[in-house]
């Protein structure tokens, strides 16, 4: 459960929201001024009501002049309040919309630049929710202040000040009762209602979690005929939510009752004192009328205070995640003044590299050195967990090293901009992610602004053209959800076309582990061969049939290279690791090798 207190967070949130309010300083200043003015007008309406009553009480029926003047002032003030309040709304709409889009933009820009590791360890859905919740919370926070707490504060202090000036006793009683009211209501909201609310919300999320998990896993549920088990699971969570929801709603209701009682006490205090002042000849009938109207005004503002306090607390907590994004350092950052990487040939060198995953006990790579000459096609093989994927992640600088350097054409990759490095390294991942955009757009991702001719040319080289021609909308077909669902092999071909178009001088191909249909496999091999020509290429090989055509094979074991050579050299080693891998993995391949 979260802490009910929000103390230390408030100043951080205030700095954050102030920054975004001040994006439009003139608009903000106008808003504050207008809000104060409009609230002061609201406070003066009861006074005008008092003048009106006095004008009627002391005037003669034949001379309605003073009463009409007081009436005009009364109506004009009421109208002025409504107009100025609407103007506050218009200004706030503009201020909030601008701030919210900027908050979203800033958070999105930051999160996109977080490391691959961060993204691997965060749920995309949760990150999206945190950003959108941060945006809406800013809006609620600003509205709560502008329409709730700030005017309430102005009204309460304004009224207490006016009373204290004319009738010190009334001022004292009003001030004290409002203070007592606020103390009780705020304490209840923060320490009694909120913890129950937070717990009920957590169980609400648990319920959605169980629903989402069971519905997504429906094929498994079906295959084990486990519908009733899942019903039971949901029933239990729903029960857990039920009593917490009742408790949280009940506490709000009790707090409402306490507020009502306190408001009655406030009314008795104010009006009782007013009548006593009148009996002492210190207050006119008009004063009593304005006292009654003022009391309605105050209780109107106070009634929603508890709700505002809770809203403020909730938004402060909800903005916390976005603030964490904002304050987080980039895990992998460009050095100040980093230059662009210039790739002439594409030679890669690992120079005494030591690397340990955060949280891992031991270093995966220790004092690891390796040279890959320009244009060489290298296959990485080894058991799962041997360190092949990490090797290519380090080449892309998805992680920083603990010691040593990685060089491309003699330039240390940690010293150049990440943009220039990633542009130079084309990646065809194992299970490529395609955007929910058209196939043409997905291919053009490798080269923004590519012409349709270039896209089709790349698609032809990657054997994408074959299956795209068969689709109803061709290259305009949307991928995913409402579009076509591509097979693993087809997606990998699109990813190859993307890299062909990008024209990166260094290539990384992570072969698909799942078996591809033989047509796809042949196509992919052909496409890769074309792509690899003249480029330094690193293939994470899961199929030993691929690596035999490469220039060099590196056999990994626990972050070390245990064998290094061509297929011919390694297969000839009696008792060698590569030979053993080949023997265990593929009988068919052995026949090939023996030929
Ligand atoms: P391979 O590609 O050869 O299967 P990896 O490079 O993926 O091997 O993994 C090498 C080792 O590093 C494994 O023991 C794996 O568990 C560990 N590892 C991989 N990624 C991470 C990570 N993000 N955090 C911690 N350990 C990791």
């Amino acid at each position: 459960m979260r802490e009910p207190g929000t103390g230390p967070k408030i100043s951080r949130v205030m700095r954050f929201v102030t920054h975004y309010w001040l994006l439009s300083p003139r608009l903000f200043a106008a808003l504050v001024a207008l809000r104060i003015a409009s609230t002061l007008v609201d406070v003066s309406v009861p006074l005008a009501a008092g003048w009106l009553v006095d004008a009627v009480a002391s005037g003669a029926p034949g001379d309605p002049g003073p009463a009409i003047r007081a009436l005009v002032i009364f109506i004009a003030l009421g109208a002025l309040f409504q107009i100025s309040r609407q103007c506050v709304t218009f200004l706030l709409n503009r201020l909030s919309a601008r701030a919210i889009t900027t908050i979203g933009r800033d958070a999105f820009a930051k999160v996109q630049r977080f490391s691959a590791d961060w993204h691997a360890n965060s749920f995309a859905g949760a990150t999206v929710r945190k950003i959108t919740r941060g945006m809406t919370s800013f809006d609620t926070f600003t509205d709560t202040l502008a329409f709730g707490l700030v005017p309430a504060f102005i009204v309460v202090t304004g009224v207490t000040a006016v009373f204290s000036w004319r009738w010190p006793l009334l001022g004292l009683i009003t001030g004290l009762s409002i203070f007592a009211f606020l103390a009780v209501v705020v304490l209840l909201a923060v320490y009694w209602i909120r913890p129950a609310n937070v717990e009920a919300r957590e169980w609400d999320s648990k319920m959605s979690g169980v629903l989402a998990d069971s519905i997504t896993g429906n094929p498994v549920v079906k295959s084990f005929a486990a519908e009733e088990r899942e019903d039971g699971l949901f029933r239990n969570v729903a029960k857990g939510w039920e009593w917490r929801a009742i408790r949280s709603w009940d506490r709000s209701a009790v707090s409402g009752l306490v507020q009502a009682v306190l408001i009655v006490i406030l009314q008795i205090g104010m009006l009782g004192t007013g009548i006593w002042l009148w009996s002492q000849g210190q207050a006119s009938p008009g004063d009593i009328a304005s006292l009654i109207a003022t009391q309605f005004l105050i209780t109107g503002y106070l009634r929603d205070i508890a709700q505002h306090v809770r809203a403020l607390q909730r938004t402060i907590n909800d903005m916390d995640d976005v603030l964490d994004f904002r304050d987080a350092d980039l895990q992998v950052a460009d050095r100040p003044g980093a230059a662009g990487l210039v790739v002439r040939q594409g030679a890669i060198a690992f120079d005494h590299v030591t690397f340990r995953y955060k949280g891992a006990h031991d270093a995966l790579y220790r004092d690891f050195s390796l040279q890959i000459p320009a244009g060489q096609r290298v296959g990485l093989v080894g058991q799962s967990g041997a360190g092949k994927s990490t090797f290519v992640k380090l080449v892309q600088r998805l992680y920083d090293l603990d010691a040593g350097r990685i060089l491309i054409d003699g330039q240390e990759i940690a010293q150049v901009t990440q943009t220039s490095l990633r542009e130079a390294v084309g990646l065809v991942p194992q299970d490529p992610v395609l955007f929910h955009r058209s196939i043409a757009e997905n291919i053009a991702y490798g080269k923004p602004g590519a012409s349709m001719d270039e896209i089709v040319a790349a698609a032809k080289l990657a054997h994408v053209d074959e299956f795209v021609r068969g689709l109803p909308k061709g290259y305009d077909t949307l991928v995913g959800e409402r579009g076509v669902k591509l097979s693993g092999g087809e997606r990998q071909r699109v990813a190859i076309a993307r890299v062909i178009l990008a024209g990166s001088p260094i290539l990384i191909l992570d072969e698909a582990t799942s078996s591809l249909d033989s047509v796809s496999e042949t196509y992919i091999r052909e496409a890769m061969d074309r792509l690899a020509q003249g480029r330094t290429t690193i293939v994470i090989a899961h199929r030993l049939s691929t690596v035999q055509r490469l220039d060099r094979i590196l056999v990994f074991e626990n972050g070390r290279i245990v064998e290094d050579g061509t297929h011919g050299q390694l297969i000839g080693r009696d008792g060698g690791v590569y030979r053993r891998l080949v023997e265990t993995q593929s009988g068919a391949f052995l026949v090939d090798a023996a030929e």
Side-chain angles (χ1 to χ4, degrees):
M1 206 181 85
R2 278 204 208 143
E3 283 290 305
T6 47
K9 289 178 193 160
I10 289 178
S11 61
R12 192 162 84 124
V13 166
M14 278 318 292
R15 256 179 290 138
F16 173 77
V17 291
T18 315
H19 168 80
Y20 287 99
W21 282 337
L22 293 178
L23 283 180
S24 335
R26 270 194 305 218
L27 193 58
F28 181 68
L31 181 71
V32 172
L34 198 60
R35 179 73 275 197
I36 293 174
S38 125
T39 314
L40 289 177
V41 171
D42 204 18
V43 175
S44 61
V45 172
L47 296 180
W51 299 332
L52 179 60
V53 171
D54 274 344
V56 171
S58 61
D63 176 25
I68 288 172
R69 269 198 298 280
L71 179 67
V72 168
I73 292 176
F74 176 73
I75 290 172
L77 283 174
L80 193 61
F81 170 68
Q82 290 304 336
I83 292 167
S84 57
R85 195 172 185 280
Q86 290 313 317
C87 291
V88 168
T89 309
F90 290 133
L91 290 183
L92 195 64
N93 289 347
R94 275 146 193 79
L95 186 91
S96 290
R98 170 134 189 243
I100 290 169
T101 46
T102 318
I103 290 174
R105 261 192 351 234
D106 290 353
F108 179 51
K110 188 73 183 269
V111 164
Q112 282 209 91
R113 283 158 186 77
F114 279 163
S115 70
D117 206 26
W118 186 92
H119 282 281
N121 291 318
S122 315
F123 289 110
T127 307
V128 171
R129 238 184 357 260
K130 284 174 184 174
I131 296 179
T132 46
R133 220 165 43 192
M135 292 159 73
T136 43
S137 295
F138 174 89
D139 192 31
T140 316
F141 184 90
T142 311
D143 282 357
T144 307
L145 282 186
F147 293 109
L149 292 179
V150 168
F153 177 78
I154 297 174
V155 164
V156 163
T157 44
V159 165
T160 312
V162 170
F163 283 175
S164 305
W165 170 64
R166 273 198 69 186
W167 306 286
L169 178 69
L170 185 60
L172 184 72
I173 287 175
T174 309
L176 281 181
S177 353
I178 290 174
F179 179 78
F181 175 90
L182 288 179
V184 171
V185 167
V186 171
L187 288 178
L188 280 181
V190 175
Y191 292 103
W192 196 56
I193 300 175
R194 195 185 138 65
N197 270 353
V198 168
E199 218 178 291
R201 267 219 312 277
E202 273 168 10
W203 278 78
D204 190 85
S205 310
K206 272 189 206 175
M207 260 193 326
S208 324
V210 168
L211 275 182
D213 198 35
S214 293
I215 292 174
T216 334
N218 185 265
V220 186
V221 175
K222 273 208 168 47
S223 72
F224 286 95
E227 284 85 353
E228 287 191 9
R229 252 189 288 162
E230 295 298 314
D231 288 347
L233 195 65
F234 180 71
R235 214 172 22 243
N236 282 343
V237 184
K239 264 206 148 22
W241 172 81
E242 190 180 320
W243 70 262
R244 285 177 177 86
I246 293 177
R247 183 181 63 173
S248 136
W249 296 337
D250 280 356
R251 286 190 182 183
S252 292
V254 171
S255 161
L257 190 69
V258 171
Q259 277 183 56
V261 172
L262 289 172
I263 283 180
V264 171
I265 294 175
L266 177 74
Q267 285 171 333
I268 294 172
M270 280 175 73
L271 298 183
T273 314
I275 298 295
W276 182 80
L277 287 169
W278 167 77
S279 71
Q280 300 296 306
Q282 292 180 39
S284 67
D287 291 334
I288 300 299
S290 82
L291 197 59
I292 293 172
T294 305
Q295 166 263 312
F296 278 125
L297 183 75
I298 292 183
T299 50
Y301 277 104
L302 289 185
R303 197 158 282 136
D304 297 330
I305 283 267
Q307 220 175 322
H308 294 323
V309 170
R310 282 207 300 277
L312 215 56
Q313 272 194 309
R314 199 178 52 243
T315 53
I316 286 173
N317 280 329
D318 284 351
M319 271 191 270
D320 217 38
D321 291 322
V322 167
L323 274 156
D324 285 344
F325 291 158
R326 184 183 155 88
D327 294 346
D329 289 329
L330 290 181
Q331 301 81 356
V332 176
D334 283 353
R335 301 277 149 85
L341 174 71
V342 183
V343 183
R344 296 211 174 77
Q345 282 146 339
I348 303 172
F350 276 56
D351 178 23
H352 300 285
V353 166
T354 297
F355 171 72
R356 184 176 66 87
Y357 274 113
K358 230 185 267 143
H361 200 258
D362 288 319
L364 178 59
Y365 288 103
R366 205 177 277 282
D367 203 23
F368 178 98
S369 293
L370 176 78
Q371 303 276 347
I372 299 177
Q376 192 169 59
R377 295 173 309 156
V378 184
L380 313 183
V381 298
Q383 304 280 1
S384 151
K388 306 179 295 290
S389 314
T390 309
F391 181 89
V392 299
K393 284 180 186 157
L394 293 182
V395 172
Q396 298 171 78
R397 200 185 163 210
L398 298 184
Y399 298 92
D400 275 328
L401 306 176
D402 294 295
R405 303 179 306 163
I406 295 174
L407 306 154
I408 292 180
D409 283 347
Q411 301 149 75
E412 189 182 347
I413 60 168
Q415 303 291 351
V416 299
T417 60
Q418 294 177 72
T419 313
S420 66
L421 172 65
R422 310 251 165 85
E423 275 169 4
V425 179
L427 172 74
V428 180
Q430 198 172 76
D431 193 10
V433 175
L434 299 187
F435 291 109
H436 180 52
R437 302 173 192 173
S438 73
I439 293 187
E441 281 173 290
N442 268 291
I443 297 175
Y445 208 78
K447 185 180 174 187
S451 70
M452 202 55 209
D453 287 345
E454 288 176 292
I455 292 172
V456 174
K460 284 191 169 143
L461 285 174
H463 289 294
V464 169
D465 198 54
E466 282 87 345
F467 72 83
V468 171
R469 294 265 169 236
L471 298 172
K473 288 193 184 163
Y475 284 93
D476 292 331
T477 310
L478 282 182
V479 175
E481 289 169 39
R482 279 167 295 124
V484 286
K485 214 166 149 45
L486 302 184
S487 73
E490 287 165 343
R491 270 187 292 148
Q492 212 165 31
R493 279 142 69 186
V494 172
I496 292 175
R498 200 148 75 177
V499 171
I500 291 177
L501 203 52
S504 323
I506 296 170
L507 289 179
I508 294 172
L509 167 71
D510 196 351
E511 274 191 339
T513 38
S514 55
S515 58
L516 300 175
D517 55 282
S518 54
V519 178
S520 260
E521 187 158 353
T522 318
Y523 278 164
I524 287 176
R525 189 181 304 163
E526 273 180 33
M528 277 313 296
D529 284 351
R530 278 183 201 150
L531 186 57
Q533 259 161 29
R535 301 173 206 243
T536 313
T537 306
I538 303 172
V539 182
I540 301 181
H542 300 290
R543 278 158 229 290
L544 295 173
S545 55
T546 312
V547 283
Q548 56 177 317
R549 295 170 303 109
L550 301 177
D551 303 325
R552 181 184 183 189
I553 296 165
L554 301 173
V555 184
F556 277 73
E557 235 176 48
N558 298 326
R560 282 179 305 117
I561 293 174
V562 289
E563 286 181 3
D564 177 355
T566 61
H567 170 74
Q569 290 165 345
L570 299 187
I571 199 77
R573 273 192 203 171
D574 271 343
V577 181
Y578 179 70
R579 189 186 168 102
R580 213 172 51 240
L581 277 172
V582 172
E583 283 168 0
T584 48
Q585 197 186 4
S586 157
F589 180 73
L590 262 189
V591 176
D592 266 10
E595 277 170 358

